[in-house]
Amino acid sequence: MQIGTEFQCEIEKTVFGGDGLTRCDGEVVFLPRTLPGERLIGRITAKKKNYSRGTVVRFGETSPRRIEPGCPYFGRCPGCCYRHAEYGLEAELKSAQLADLLAGAGIEPAPGVVAPFAATLPAEGYRDKIVLHVHKSGGRTELGYVMADNTTVTDIERCPLAHPEINAELARLRADKSFLHSLHEGMDVTFRRTDRDGVRFWRNRPAANLTWLRETVPFGELSVPCGSFFQVNPAGCAVLVAEFEAVLERLSPRRVIDLYSGAGLFAAAAAHRGIGDILAVESDEAAAAACRYNLRRYGVAEPEVVAGDAADAFGRSPESDPAGTLLVVDPPRTGLSPQAMRNLVESPLRFLVYISCNPSTWVRDALRLQKGGFELNHLRGVNMFPRTGHFELFSFWAREPEARHG
């Protein structure tokens, strides 16, 4: 089919990322903002080597689980792709997508390994951080999100995903002409909120001397530099901590190694449970300093925290007790680096918690872990980012000593 061709179809399923998939004359076509079972007339808008993209001309039959999006930016803003679906349906679709990703990679978990998908609540107003971008147009200041073309900025008065306190602060600032005049083309404005600190904002980067935030976590509080990473969804963060604590309960490790530790969420969770032998590695020096502070707060007198590359951590202290050591990794969206993966597989370590914000790179790394002798013992999808196309994964891996591959 050529660009501009119209066609009739029925949506088969929703794929990872949120688009509906249909087939027309044997050709795969993706259509955004559609749901399984919907019948419609579509139009081809783009041709790729193995698939096409389309748009809806008109619906013939819509899903009974379709709802009003309730956001004036839906369809323009690329952030949300499930606002037209009941939240329960979104969770079901993402759970099915996880199953498809596993099957497509040839990963066959044993019965009971894949836990029920965690649909965190609330589905809106959960984000404790948003970043808006500035565009000047005809003397008008636009402050909002970058659209799907990676160029256009749509002015955003409020974001339904942002915590209500962030939206209130945004409304206050937008009414302040002096604030709008202080913004320049290409500038970013970041809003972060915590229970203790309320809402803070800054232009571009936070000042170096800005007081650290105090983030609420299930076992207490953590201090986090304003410019450093922390989970944006408190309910999703609580699920990850609970899953990690369940592994600690199961293994009772003597030592925990936390790579890509950030401000030390999982290292501090281990310290809170009385584990004193902890190595944390984080490339962000400010976050590493906060991790060191947080570990002291939770009882580790002399924390071993390294500001550096996670791949180098395996050579720092050879593991004399692999059966008593738990490794936890929470890498960026790119997943484990090739060197980190090689070092992990070649190490004597036997127990691994792998947390991922990108199921696609997790699947890639899962195949490498299997080749290295690791077996998937537990996997749970967590809807850390409701109404968007993303979700988090928590996984626990183990291997027998003889299964180690060089």
Side-chain angles (χ1 to χ4, degrees):
M1 293 187 293
Q2 301 302 311
I3 293 177
T5 301
E6 294 192 356
F7 57 95
Q8 294 184 353
C9 70
E10 178 177 347
I11 301 300
E12 294 181 18
K13 63 180 179 179
T14 304
V15 299
F16 179 59
D19 287 344
L21 179 149
T22 189
R23 301 175 199 272
C24 190
D25 296 331
E27 184 174 326
V28 171
V29 184
F30 296 109
L31 295 104
R33 300 179 292 283
T34 58
L35 297 172
E38 293 188 324
R39 299 175 184 273
L40 57 93
I41 294 177
R43 180 184 298 117
I44 300 297
T45 57
K47 293 280 294 181
K48 305 295 181 180
K49 183 178 180 180
N50 298 317
Y51 65 91
S52 296
R53 301 193 64 81
T55 188
V56 176
V57 176
R58 63 180 178 273
F59 285 101
E61 181 179 342
T62 58
S63 169
R65 304 181 73 178
R66 175 178 283 271
I67 61 174
E68 286 298 319
C71 177
Y73 313 110
F74 181 68
R76 289 185 290 152
C77 174
C80 290
C81 58
Y82 288 110
R83 295 195 63 85
H84 60 304
E86 293 176 356
Y87 184 53
L89 176 59
E90 174 190 333
E92 292 170 19
L93 295 175
K94 289 182 174 180
S95 181
Q97 290 160 18
L98 175 55
D100 284 347
L101 286 168
L102 293 173
I107 299 173
E108 300 180 1
V113 166
V114 181
F117 192 86
T120 60
L121 291 172
E124 294 189 351
Y126 64 85
R127 285 196 66 100
D128 278 342
K129 176 184 177 182
I130 63 170
V131 181
L132 302 180
H133 307 276
V134 178
H135 177 58
K136 297 285 190 176
S137 177
R140 183 169 180 267
T141 299
E142 295 175 342
L143 178 63
Y145 292 131
V146 177
M147 297 296 101
D149 61 5
N150 292 319
T151 301
T152 307
V153 173
T154 291
D155 206 35
I156 300 289
E157 293 187 0
R158 64 178 300 276
C159 174
L161 301 189
H163 193 282
E165 292 178 15
I166 290 179
N167 280 323
E169 180 68 359
L170 176 59
R172 185 187 70 81
L173 291 173
R174 290 179 66 89
D176 182 350
K177 291 184 179 179
S178 64
F179 171 75
L180 294 178
H181 286 318
S182 73
L183 303 179
H184 305 291
E185 174 67 29
M187 182 178 283
D188 292 339
V189 181
T190 299
F191 294 82
R192 285 187 71 162
R193 178 225 167 252
T194 72
D195 293 338
R196 275 286 203 105
D197 305 291
V199 179
R200 292 186 186 177
F201 74 91
W202 54 85
R203 303 163 184 81
N204 292 335
R205 296 182 178 180
N209 62 349
L210 201 59
T211 305
W212 288 353
L213 299 167
R214 289 162 296 179
E215 294 279 2
T216 302
V217 293
F219 53 87
E221 283 189 338
L222 291 179
S223 294
V224 180
C226 291
S228 296
F229 169 80
F230 198 76
Q231 300 290 353
V232 300
N233 183 341
C237 179
V239 174
L240 296 181
V241 170
E243 291 284 350
F244 182 64
E245 289 178 335
V247 174
L248 294 177
E249 183 72 22
R250 174 179 173 179
L251 294 181
S252 298
R254 175 192 61 81
R255 176 172 170 79
V256 169
I257 302 174
D258 185 0
L259 305 187
Y260 313 93
S261 68
L265 174 62
F266 300 108
H272 180 256
R273 294 180 67 88
I275 299 172
D277 189 354
I278 297 173
L279 167 64
V281 181
E282 168 56 45
S283 60
D284 175 1
E285 292 188 3
C291 181
R292 193 173 294 109
Y293 173 85
N294 289 323
L295 288 176
R296 287 196 183 101
R297 179 177 182 179
Y298 284 100
V300 182
E302 297 182 4
E304 187 179 7
V305 180
V306 178
D309 188 342
D312 297 335
F314 296 94
R316 284 189 58 82
S317 53
E319 295 306 317
S320 58
D321 182 19
T325 301
L326 172 64
L327 172 66
V328 53
V329 299
D330 186 7
R333 291 187 59 80
T334 51
L336 291 175
S337 70
Q339 187 60 54
M341 178 60 74
R342 280 193 295 271
N343 291 350
L344 168 57
V345 169
E346 293 171 1
S347 78
L349 293 171
R350 294 171 53 188
F351 301 110
L352 167 70
V353 165
Y354 187 158
I355 297 159
S356 172
C357 61
N358 186 348
S360 295
T361 54
W362 179 90
V363 165
R364 177 203 68 198
D365 289 348
L367 292 172
R368 296 174 181 173
L369 289 171
Q370 286 185 334
K371 291 179 181 178
F374 282 92
E375 180 179 350
L376 181 61
N377 277 220
H378 178 73
L379 174 64
R380 191 175 194 189
V382 181
N383 206 15
M384 185 71 75
F385 316 101
R387 312 323 252 155
T388 78
H390 307 289
F391 56 91
E392 197 101 350
L393 293 178
F394 181 97
S395 60
F396 172 61
W397 300 77
R399 67 175 169 182
E400 298 300 324
E402 62 271 14
R404 176 187 169 199
H405 292 183

